[in-house]
Amino acid sequence: MFTVGLEIEINGGHDHARIKRNPLIAGYCTDGSLYHREGLEYQTDILFSTDIDALAALVESIHCDGSEPERAGGHMHVRRTSRQTPSRWYWALKGLSDRQARQLNMRHTTGCRWCELRHDYYDGKDTAVNGAHCDTIELRTFGRWDETTAHRLTPAIEWAHHMWRYFESHDLYQLKTAGIMRESARSAYATPRTTPAMRLAVRKED
């Protein structure tokens, strides 16, 4: 079964108490990449598809008061199995265009130092795909999650869910890299919440 978790970094003043009380939040801590004195990183519990609407509502309610909110990230953890490998997720990210990545709140196409997309480099805090965890694959490509990016959260999780199911349905060594890239690009535009209006908005940002 697909499960997901988020690390929600906030680099600025915000309503600490309300977020800490939210039942989806499992913990919080400081983070060296957050320079604002009130900045914190929150970790969600292990979440299921039935939790996504509540998670989206939480993210939409987050307002950050700070001069550099973009320093924060929003890493996503998906459940790891024998068929969920870092290299498969690398090719899934590689298959997305710059526009698709931005639509899903991803940063690996922008040259961001915290999420460089490199083949066979899947360990650490400066890589887009971190395979160092025993139980999850960490996708570090995502930008901050707050009121400014909340509309991209559900499409991002739907894309991850689709790719997770795609990988689960194929044994290791059954997939070609080109096939993974095509499936990733196709699914980025096929998620139910990714509407034509959203795609038009992304084109206007170019």
Side-chain angles (χ1 to χ4, degrees):
M1 178 182 294
F2 173 78
T3 61
V4 64
L6 282 189
E7 297 177 25
I8 303 173
E9 297 177 354
I10 306 175
N11 188 44
H14 59 282
D15 191 342
H16 299 83
R18 181 181 57 79
I19 298 177
K20 291 175 183 178
R21 289 195 305 266
N22 190 286
L24 300 182
I25 298 299
Y28 57 90
C29 63
T30 57
D31 188 284
S33 65
L34 304 177
Y35 287 174
H36 196 282
R37 60 187 176 86
E38 294 188 55
L40 281 179
E41 174 193 299
Y42 299 89
Q43 303 91 30
T44 71
D45 206 340
I46 297 172
L47 304 178
F48 301 89
S49 297
T50 52
D51 299 314
I52 302 310
D53 286 344
L55 178 62
L58 168 62
V59 168
E60 189 174 15
S61 73
I62 296 174
H63 174 75
C64 175
D65 289 318
S67 59
E68 293 184 291
E70 69 280 357
R71 292 191 65 90
H75 314 149
M76 182 184 295
H77 291 255
V78 297
R79 180 183 166 222
R80 188 166 193 162
T81 72
S82 61
R83 297 183 180 184
Q84 305 294 326
T85 66
S87 61
R88 282 183 162 188
W89 283 99
Y90 164 87
W91 290 110
L93 293 181
K94 186 74 172 176
L96 299 173
S97 67
D98 292 355
R99 183 179 296 165
Q100 288 176 315
R102 186 168 63 252
Q103 179 175 290
L104 299 177
N105 196 31
M106 295 177 179
R107 304 174 294 174
H108 64 272
T109 61
T110 67
C112 177
R113 60 170 292 203
W114 298 112
C115 51
E116 187 176 356
L117 188 61
R118 290 167 54 188
H119 189 36
D120 290 333
Y121 179 60
Y122 308 128
D123 188 0
K125 291 186 173 294
D126 58 350
T127 179
V129 180
N130 183 8
H133 304 288
C134 295
D135 299 323
T136 66
I137 298 290
E138 180 185 10
L139 305 177
R140 296 181 56 84
T141 179
F142 293 99
R144 72 185 191 271
W145 293 116
D146 59 24
E147 62 183 351
T148 68
T149 59
H151 61 292
R152 292 184 165 99
L153 177 61
T154 299
I157 294 177
E158 288 176 344
W159 170 85
H161 189 183
H162 176 89
M163 293 308 299
W164 190 91
R165 292 176 61 189
Y166 176 70
F167 294 146
E168 282 297 287
S169 66
H170 294 85
D171 287 329
L172 295 182
Y173 312 113
Q174 283 190 340
L175 293 172
K176 303 291 187 182
T177 57
I180 295 173
M181 293 172 68
R182 282 194 302 269
E183 186 67 20
S184 177
R186 186 196 67 78
S187 66
Y189 280 129
T191 56
R193 305 291 181 92
T194 310
T195 65
M198 279 186 61
R199 295 196 288 273
L200 178 61
V202 171
R203 286 197 293 272
K204 288 181 178 179
E205 292 175 3
D206 287 339

